[in-house]
Amino acid sequence: MKKILPMNHGLRGEIEIPGDKSISHRAIMLSSLGSSTVEIENFLSGADCLSTVECMKKLGAKIEMSGEKIFVTGNGLHGLKEPENILDAGNSGTTLRLLLGLTAPQNFLTTFTGDDSLRQRPMARVIKPLSEMGAKIVGRNENKNLPITVLKPEKKLRGITYKMPVASAQVKSAIILAGLFADGETEIIESAPSRDHTEKMLTAFGAKIEKSGDAIKIFPAENLTAPKKIIVPGDISSAAYWIVLASILPDSEVTIKNVGVNQTRTGIIDILRRMGARIEFLNEKISGGESSADLKIFSAKLRGVEFGGEFIPRLIDEIPALAVAAAFAEGETIIHDVGELKVKETDRLAAIVQEFNKISAGSFESTEDSLIIHGGEEKKFADCKTFSDHRMAMSLAIFGAAADGVKIDNSDCVKISYPNFFELFK
């Protein structure tokens, strides 16, 4: 159990956050497909990204870590090797879904497993398009839950046109990675824009990818040309907790250094600004196709808003933190189209309503696909459960810090994405 005391003063000074989780995953995978050594700086050494490291080692990549830097040497685009053992994705849905796309075209068999949480998460929606391309993938039931075995395909995968039923960067990325090895071009039509880190990084590796409106075309490749160095920007999902806390604590003025501000990820900032938050971009720059900036946040009086639709893929991981902001806003906030929350590390929609209401009774309710927050209600100290979900743990921590404190179980789950999060509270 960890007890968070109320923070009876504003948040001030500068904060440095860990490297972006999504970009760290992709940097390891794509560097493993090159044939020269890539230095990755500001790599996030959280549990999820380390699962990707271990999986890529077992697939033949040479990976060495030195502090916050990591060096990756692959065997070329077509040089992956059959793993001697089962690949363990741990708690990482990104590791599993992207590697399903990467191993589906390979001329060997791969079996995946994961922890108890990941074993309950459905994989059918990523296996469906890969199967249409000719992949042979077997899960333990109709939802394609782990363990999953990717069989050697009967013949080379074929390029397809696939219309995404739900916006998902992980599913899209799996199709893109499989498309690199396919016979003919592969086209993905998105239902709404999702994070595009895979497309940006693959372009930096020399892959041919074309985007036109909602359509993305991937062309098969013979090889990839790896850059000498990839600098991973700070993770906006990790920054979200401090952005929210600085916004709702009076007399706050804080700068968060080197945050990734890719437009497919900045929904949290757009919505908070609509709520009245004061957030400034400073020192903007671009590295490896990814934009970053220092964020300066001032405390502000927030108001409730209503949104959904295309915003959701751009802030789905930040909804628990955003719900905390809404609890301190004036009026009602309604977030539509959040059914995706039910299939995260836990059912986050249910978890938010159950646990956040312990701190602010009656403030949170949900429908089948929406979250409603009544702002301005009385807050109190509470004992809360994280469900071993890192984003629930961190959101509960900032909620308690801005209210009357909180006690949470299994605080160690933050190691998945933000290992030193609780050190900053000290």
Side-chain angles (χ1 to χ4, degrees):
M1 299 291 290
K2 183 173 288 293
K3 187 175 182 179
I4 304 297
L5 299 175
M7 195 174 287
N8 297 314
H9 54 80
L11 199 63
R12 289 187 165 268
E14 290 187 350
I15 295 173
E16 293 187 2
I17 57 172
D20 187 283
K21 185 163 166 275
S22 296
I23 296 173
S24 293
H25 280 297
R26 289 157 173 82
I28 293 294
M29 290 185 191
L30 298 191
S31 296
S32 298
L33 300 179
S35 53
S36 57
T37 300
V38 182
E39 176 187 339
I40 304 172
E41 186 175 310
N42 200 35
F43 171 78
L44 173 63
S45 55
D48 275 11
C49 294
L50 293 178
S51 291
T52 292
V53 168
E54 291 306 311
C55 287
M56 295 313 300
K57 282 182 178 179
K58 290 178 179 178
L59 286 165
K62 180 183 177 183
I63 304 176
E64 299 175 345
M65 298 189 69
S66 176
E68 290 189 348
K69 294 182 179 180
I70 191 163
F71 298 88
V72 183
T73 307
N75 297 305
L77 180 61
H78 300 278
L80 294 180
K81 299 177 181 178
E82 181 168 1
E84 295 181 358
N85 296 302
I86 293 171
L87 300 187
D88 188 350
N91 187 251
S92 178
T94 301
T95 302
L96 177 59
R97 291 188 175 109
L98 269 62
L99 286 186
L100 286 174
L102 188 56
T103 57
Q106 306 305 323
N107 198 30
F108 53 71
L109 178 149
T110 311
T111 297
F112 293 92
T113 189
D115 69 7
D116 289 342
S117 172
L118 192 61
R119 288 168 69 92
Q120 302 308 313
R121 297 173 70 177
M123 295 298 146
R125 64 179 180 175
V126 66
I127 292 174
K128 182 178 183 296
L130 296 175
S131 297
E132 290 183 16
M133 298 175 77
K136 301 297 180 183
I137 304 175
V138 181
R140 66 178 165 90
N141 53 30
E142 62 182 15
N143 287 325
K144 308 298 184 184
N145 294 108
L146 287 169
I148 290 171
T149 296
V150 182
L151 302 171
K152 175 182 173 180
E154 294 176 359
K155 56 184 178 180
K156 191 173 184 179
L157 299 193
R158 57 186 174 275
I160 61 170
T161 296
Y162 188 73
K163 188 172 183 179
M164 298 278 290
V166 177
S168 169
Q170 293 179 359
V171 175
K172 176 178 67 172
S173 295
I175 301 169
I176 289 173
L177 292 173
L180 291 175
F181 300 86
D183 185 8
E185 66 188 54
T186 298
E187 183 176 40
I188 302 167
I189 301 171
E190 293 198 272
S191 57
S194 62
R195 59 186 67 178
D196 61 359
H197 302 305
T198 301
E199 298 96 300
K200 286 183 179 297
M201 192 174 293
L202 267 175
T203 299
F205 274 73
K208 184 180 179 183
I209 297 178
E210 296 177 355
K211 181 170 175 58
S212 178
D214 296 331
I216 302 162
K217 284 187 179 181
I218 306 93
F219 296 83
E222 288 302 317
N223 56 67
L224 297 179
T225 305
K228 292 183 178 179
K229 187 173 184 177
I230 296 172
I231 301 175
V232 180
D235 196 327
I236 195 168
S237 294
S238 297
Y241 307 103
W242 309 115
I243 296 171
V244 167
L245 191 56
S247 295
I248 61 183
L249 280 176
D251 196 32
S252 291
E253 182 180 328
V254 66
T255 300
I256 310 175
K257 305 289 287 184
N258 187 38
V259 181
V261 288
N262 180 311
Q263 288 188 349
T264 64
R265 297 284 301 281
T266 51
I268 179 73
I269 292 174
D270 294 341
I271 292 298
L272 283 171
R273 281 174 168 170
R274 279 179 55 182
M275 296 175 75
R278 299 166 60 199
I279 305 169
E280 297 178 359
F281 282 23
L282 307 172
N283 302 320
E284 295 185 59
K285 55 186 179 291
I286 296 176
S287 176
E290 293 285 354
S291 302
S292 64
D294 298 340
L295 304 184
K296 191 165 188 177
I297 304 99
F298 303 86
S299 53
K301 188 171 183 178
L302 303 183
R303 58 185 175 272
V305 295
E306 183 173 359
F307 67 93
E310 291 189 358
F311 273 108
I312 301 304
R314 298 176 58 220
L315 50 64
I316 188 67
D317 287 337
E318 292 76 62
I319 285 176
L322 191 57
V324 174
F328 288 86
E330 181 180 341
E332 187 175 73
T333 294
I334 304 174
I335 311 175
H336 298 289
D337 309 313
V338 293
E340 174 74 8
L341 290 176
K342 297 177 183 179
V343 291
K344 290 293 184 177
E345 283 80 341
T346 187
D347 181 343
R348 283 186 187 152
L349 187 58
I352 287 169
V353 174
Q354 176 180 310
E355 299 304 313
F356 287 17
N357 272 331
K358 293 178 181 178
I359 298 174
S360 185
S363 292
F364 301 86
E365 58 180 300
S366 65
T367 65
E368 182 67 22
D369 203 35
S370 296
L371 177 63
I372 302 102
I373 305 108
H374 308 285
E377 300 295 329
E378 184 179 353
K379 316 294 192 295
K380 66 178 183 180
F381 179 88
D383 285 0
C384 293
K385 295 168 63 176
T386 65
F387 300 97
S388 300
D389 184 333
H390 56 130
R391 302 208 187 278
M392 281 295 297
M394 290 183 278
S395 298
L396 284 165
I398 63 169
F399 202 169
D404 287 335
V406 67
K407 186 184 286 185
I408 59 175
D409 70 344
N410 193 18
S411 59
D412 284 348
C413 65
V414 303
K415 292 178 181 178
I416 288 170
S417 64
Y418 202 157
N420 68 332
F421 174 80
F422 285 108
E423 293 301 313
L424 291 179
F425 274 100
K426 297 180 181 178

